[in-house]
Amino acid sequence: MAQAEFVVVANRLPVDRVDGPDGEPAWRRSPGGLVTALEPVMREAHGAWVGWPGQADLEVEPFEFEGTDLVPVMLTADDVELYYEGFSNDTIWPLYHDVIAAPRYRRVWWDAYVRVNRRFAEAAAAAAAHEATVWVQDYQLQLVPQMLREARPDLTIGYFHHIPFPAYGLYSQLPWRRQVLEGLLGADVIGFQRVADAGNFARAVRRQLRYETRASGIRVPQSDGTSRTALAKAFPISIDAQSYADLAARPDIQARASEIRESLGNPRRILLGVDRLDYTKGIRHRLKAYGELVEDGRISVEEVTLVQVASPSRERVEAYVQLRDEIELMVTRINGDYDTLGHSAIRYLHQGYPREEMVALYLAADVMLVTALRDGMNLVAKEYAATRIDNRGTLVLSEFAGAADELGTSLRVNPHDIDALKETIMRAIEMTPAEQGRRMRAMRRKVLEGDVAAWSKSFLSALDATRENS
């Protein structure tokens, strides 16, 4: 396989292994914004994508898929447990999400994280042509930029951080805080979702490494006594907005939305939550607020139904097992107290759905509840706006989600303040069509203009600029 001019390095390959019609293993494109965003760039550059195929101990030779060279990185069952479930999702994830759950610091997890990051870096170095551009994605691979720079100083290296970056007071807990900062500073451009995240990163660099930071530039000393400038700034990610709008215009999907409303007993208002089952998403706060509104008599289950889609997530991590039990207990209690024979208070769905069904749900919902306690961006908020081609519907959006910086006409809320959350939900339920239209039009304009193609273009332009200036 020829070396590529453009290489993406991500924890996962952009394909899933499935059983083909003849029972033989086959590959199909994964759903997801990142895959969609990078597809045109990959096709144009005939790029390579380095990632794990998604199954432990699966050894696969590099292969081509729809115009992209895929370079699989093998992870053993131990690697998955220690590097992925352990360090990535039981140390970094909770720490970077403001310690909503307690992070665990285990040296054996860190050792595995270093080992696996090196494996990814070596695969990327081998796949990249001379003076190629390499774009590393997300918190599972924070050490890869520096490892790549050491192995291949000719490369232009970008890194994008999809989750929040915490305030220094929290970040400083990490026993390997210097190594992670140095790992990230191997990149020429380090992208974040929010301006605040880029600021938190620069502050950590100043406090820990004593490097000089100016505006978005960080002076990184080199071993030969010179220095280079790494750019750390916000590039808020988005969605393929037009594809959501196109789905929303399809008559079969609109008919499905009517069917959903009917199956719920045609309530006056449908509230919707769509999340991975994760403690950062504020699902408990949302259920509590809804339950209290019913208990207070301010809404009735015949009039207002809550649909909560909670797709399964990290089911081998203890904190997630516990969360599922808590949420299912809350749902059962509220439904047991308030359901009628004809109407459910909460329709709880612990499963994932294809995009078409999600768009039908968005169209059926009068109020979208995004009550994350901490979220890098939250693309569900943008998906809801993109699908509302009727300029109706109301978005209740946590101020702790990155999307709140951009979707200024949503109803923003602090989900920790249950009384305020209840009042905001009532305001959304009672909002006039004229006000819904005014707010939704502004949000849709923002999402359609700042789509995922604009995101990747702005990041890669910044990366090109650093190449020209070096």
Side-chain angles (χ1 to χ4, degrees), residues 12-263:
R12 286 292 303 271
L13 286 174
V15 292
D16 295 318
R17 190 175 163 97
V18 292
D19 289 331
D22 52 0
E24 287 296 302
W27 298 95
R28 70 155 184 239
R29 178 175 295 284
S30 308
L34 185 63
V35 179
T36 312
L38 298 179
E39 186 193 10
V41 193
M42 298 301 265
R43 255 206 323 268
E44 201 179 309
H46 195 98
W49 188 304
V50 175
W52 173 48
Q55 289 177 25
D57 299 307
L58 179 65
E59 294 204 48
V60 185
E61 287 301 307
F63 62 99
E64 192 193 354
F65 182 87
E66 295 180 1
T68 299
D69 292 336
L70 300 187
V71 182
V73 173
M74 199 272 284
L75 297 185
T76 65
D78 264 5
D79 293 331
V80 174
E81 186 189 333
L82 304 174
Y83 141 82
Y84 182 69
E85 291 171 354
F87 194 80
S88 296
N89 291 325
D90 218 353
T91 301
I92 292 294
W93 180 270
L95 177 65
Y96 284 26
H97 285 86
D98 291 356
V99 192
I100 293 163
R104 294 199 290 160
Y105 305 117
R106 295 191 55 199
R107 285 167 293 180
V108 64
W109 290 355
W110 167 253
D111 294 342
Y113 188 78
V114 175
R115 185 173 67 243
V116 171
N117 270 244
R118 190 162 301 287
R119 205 175 303 155
F120 275 88
E122 285 166 357
H130 182 65
E131 295 188 345
T133 295
V134 180
W135 193 0
V136 183
Q137 306 289 334
D138 221 5
Y139 66 102
Q140 301 94 344
L141 303 174
Q142 295 175 98
L143 308 180
V144 168
Q146 184 194 31
M147 290 171 171
L148 262 179
R149 183 165 293 282
E150 286 168 357
R152 292 284 306 274
D154 58 298
L155 299 175
T156 301
I157 303 164
Y159 169 89
F160 187 77
H161 194 73
H162 293 255
I163 69 171
F165 195 91
Y168 180 71
L170 293 176
Y171 179 76
S172 59
Q173 289 183 22
L174 184 66
W176 308 280
R177 55 200 184 182
R178 291 179 68 90
Q179 293 96 310
V180 168
L181 294 175
E182 285 164 352
L184 292 170
L185 286 169
D188 296 290
V189 176
I190 305 132
F192 296 92
Q193 300 282 24
R194 306 179 83 164
V195 172
D197 295 322
N200 286 344
F201 174 73
R203 214 161 292 120
V205 168
R206 278 199 304 275
R207 295 285 294 275
Q208 271 303 311
L209 305 177
R210 302 274 184 254
Y211 293 173
E212 183 190 336
T213 62
R214 274 197 197 154
S216 306
I218 298 172
R219 270 191 121 45
V220 184
Q222 302 298 283
S223 53
D224 62 2
T226 62
S227 68
R228 60 182 185 84
T229 301
L231 181 70
K233 63 176 285 198
F235 298 88
I237 200 170
S238 194
I239 58 167
D240 180 10
Q242 193 55 52
S243 73
Y244 279 90
D246 292 346
L247 284 172
R250 270 173 39 184
D252 60 321
I253 288 180
Q254 293 181 2
R256 175 65 187 137
S258 303
E259 217 174 85
I260 290 168
R261 288 196 78 94
E262 210 165 295
S263 72

Side-chain angles (χ1 to χ4, degrees), residues 13 44 78 139 149 200 242 246 256 283 291 293-294 299 311 326 343 405 455 466:
L13 286 174
E44 201 179 309
D78 264 5
Y139 66 102
R149 183 165 293 282
N200 286 344
Q242 193 55 52
D246 292 346
R256 175 65 187 137
I283 302 171
L293 285 171
V294 179
I299 57 176
S311 54
E326 283 176 33
H343 292 87
D405 291 354
W455 167 75
T466 64

Side-chain angles (χ1 to χ4, degrees), residues 363-378:
L363 287 174
D366 303 286
V367 179
M368 184 82 220
L369 299 175
V370 176
T371 55
L373 307 180
R374 196 77 170 86
D375 218 331
M377 176 51 64
N378 194 291

